[in-house]
Amino acid sequence: MHGRLSLCIASLSLVFLALLPKAHAHGYVAQVAIDGKVYIGNVPNAQPTPAIVRQINDVSPVKGASNPYLNCGQDAQKAALVANANPGSNFQFWWKGGDGSDWPHNIGPIMTYMASCGSTTCDQYDSTNAEWFKIEETGLQPGDMVWYQQNIMDGGPANVTIPSTLKSGQYLIRHEIIALHLATEMGGAEFYPSCTQVNIGGAQVGIASASEEVTFPGGYSDSDPGIYDPDIFDTPVQYTFPGPPVAAFVSGSASSGSSSSSSSSSPGSTSAPTSGTPSPTPTTPTGSASCKLRQQNFAVQKPRSISRVMAAWIKSLGR
């Protein structure tokens, strides 16, 4: 009996291992398109060229909500260029794996923040104490089973619309993916922030209130719902966005973005290509790779369901 039980457990263990995510690269923002105009970013830790995206030195995720690199990414350096944009401009953020392949994760939210560069230009601005306000948050597709992050894994961009009433001036755009495939454990969430330097024209006057602004680090806690989430693999997913709500001026009313929700996206964002806006062909920079876990299929990767199967099997063998 014991031999049969050991053989069955070993067989089931092989099945469980086959369902585990495969090792794959982390990633970064490889390029940004503004109203169709493409700006190429720098490969992490490569010799920098003039760009609008602040270069990071490692494709690995930022770990821990108190990590100083939560601001703009791993040891992010000021970029040499500032791109012109307008209120209502459409941005496309193209994410890549560290080995040049498609983005490797598909579980977790996409969020975008902005911060004024104050009296200086953004190529000179130290973002350490920047005050960030949220302009969009994107979570689950209709049905609450699949994340919009899946579209990025499939090779598409994350699309963000700049608020149509945003005050003119120089801003950093902090575009962030939080990968939650390890978020069932405290500190497991993987943060991928990226900062892009822009100059917003026009004559609008929209700004966020002080209560809607946060610093990074400081805007998140490792224990926040939506960062530590023991139920992340339970479907349909009920998800709580971390951080502040989307600033009220973005949509003209207070946002409920921080409340528990299974929403798809807030105003101004979608992870699918924007209708009527041609998607530029992404350029694939080359660079060093760094490996990590990849979620291949959201529907089958529920570790607790595997545990239930194993428990039921063992119980049946004991009869």
Side-chain angles (χ1 to χ4, degrees):
M1 176 63 189
H2 289 296
R4 180 187 172 196
L5 179 59
S6 298
L7 179 61
C8 291
I9 292 175
S11 299
L12 189 56
S13 297
L14 291 175
V15 174
F16 177 76
L17 288 173
L19 292 175
L20 285 175
K22 296 180 180 179
H24 204 267
H26 296 305
Y28 64 103
V29 170
Q31 67 183 50
V32 176
I34 304 175
D35 295 329
K37 182 176 180 179
V38 176
Y39 297 84
I40 305 299
N42 281 294
V43 173
N45 207 35
Q47 182 65 33
T49 59
I52 66 171
V53 181
R54 294 194 169 187
Q55 183 183 25
I56 58 175
N57 71 352
D58 194 331
V59 296
S60 297
V62 176
K63 299 288 286 187
S66 61
N67 192 318
Y69 291 156
L70 194 63
N71 195 279
C72 281
Q74 298 279 20
D75 196 26
Q77 301 298 308
K78 300 181 186 74
L81 304 178
V82 178
N84 289 323
N86 292 297
S89 283
N90 294 314
F91 279 65
Q92 292 181 314
F93 295 87
W94 296 88
W95 291 81
K96 283 291 181 182
D99 57 1
S101 61
D102 288 336
W103 175 250
H105 303 301
N106 65 355
I107 297 176
I110 308 161
M111 296 182 289
T112 308
Y113 297 80
M114 297 185 73
S116 170
C117 293
S119 59
T120 186
T121 56
C122 285
D123 59 324
Q124 300 296 320
Y125 180 67
D126 181 355
S127 64
T128 302
N129 297 312
E131 297 178 340
W132 302 94
F133 56 93
K134 188 184 289 183
I135 65 168
E136 68 86 24
E137 52 192 12
T138 304
L140 293 146
Q141 299 183 33
D144 301 333
M145 301 288 286
V146 178
W147 297 84
Y148 276 105
Q149 192 183 151
Q150 177 67 52
N151 293 350
I152 300 177
M153 176 187 269
D154 292 340
N159 290 345
V160 176
T161 301
I162 297 299
S164 60
T165 60
L166 180 65
K167 182 180 179 180
S168 62
Q170 300 237 340
Y171 291 87
L172 284 180
I173 300 177
R174 182 182 179 275
H175 187 64
E176 175 184 43
I177 289 177
I178 304 180
L180 297 177
H181 54 283
L182 301 177
T184 54
E185 296 183 0
M186 188 77 72
E190 296 185 351
F191 302 95
Y192 295 91
S194 174
C195 288
T196 298
Q197 302 172 174
V198 298
N199 179 50
I200 303 297
Q204 300 297 321
V205 294
I207 59 173
S209 66
S211 64
E212 295 172 319
E213 295 176 328
V214 295
T215 60
F216 287 110
Y220 300 150
S221 169
D222 286 323
S223 60
D224 284 348
I227 292 177
Y228 168 58
D229 195 338
D231 300 321
I232 195 65
F233 291 104
D234 288 350
T235 56
V237 180
Q238 294 293 316
Y239 184 71
T240 301
F241 288 100
V246 173
F249 84 93
V250 174
S251 61
S253 61
S255 167
S256 59
S258 294
S259 63
S260 179
S261 116
S262 55
S263 65
S264 57
S265 63
S266 67
S269 174
T270 173
S271 293
T274 303
S275 175
T277 302
S279 298
T281 302
T283 302
T284 304
T286 58
S288 60
S290 177
C291 293
K292 190 58 184 175
L293 302 177
R294 175 174 182 167
Q295 292 285 5
Q296 297 273 357
N297 188 319
F298 182 77
V300 301
Q301 292 172 3
K302 294 178 64 178
R304 283 183 291 174
S305 63
I306 298 297
S307 299
R308 295 189 193 104
V309 172
M310 181 178 287
W313 193 353
I314 293 173
K315 182 178 180 181
S316 67
L317 292 174
R319 292 177 179 173

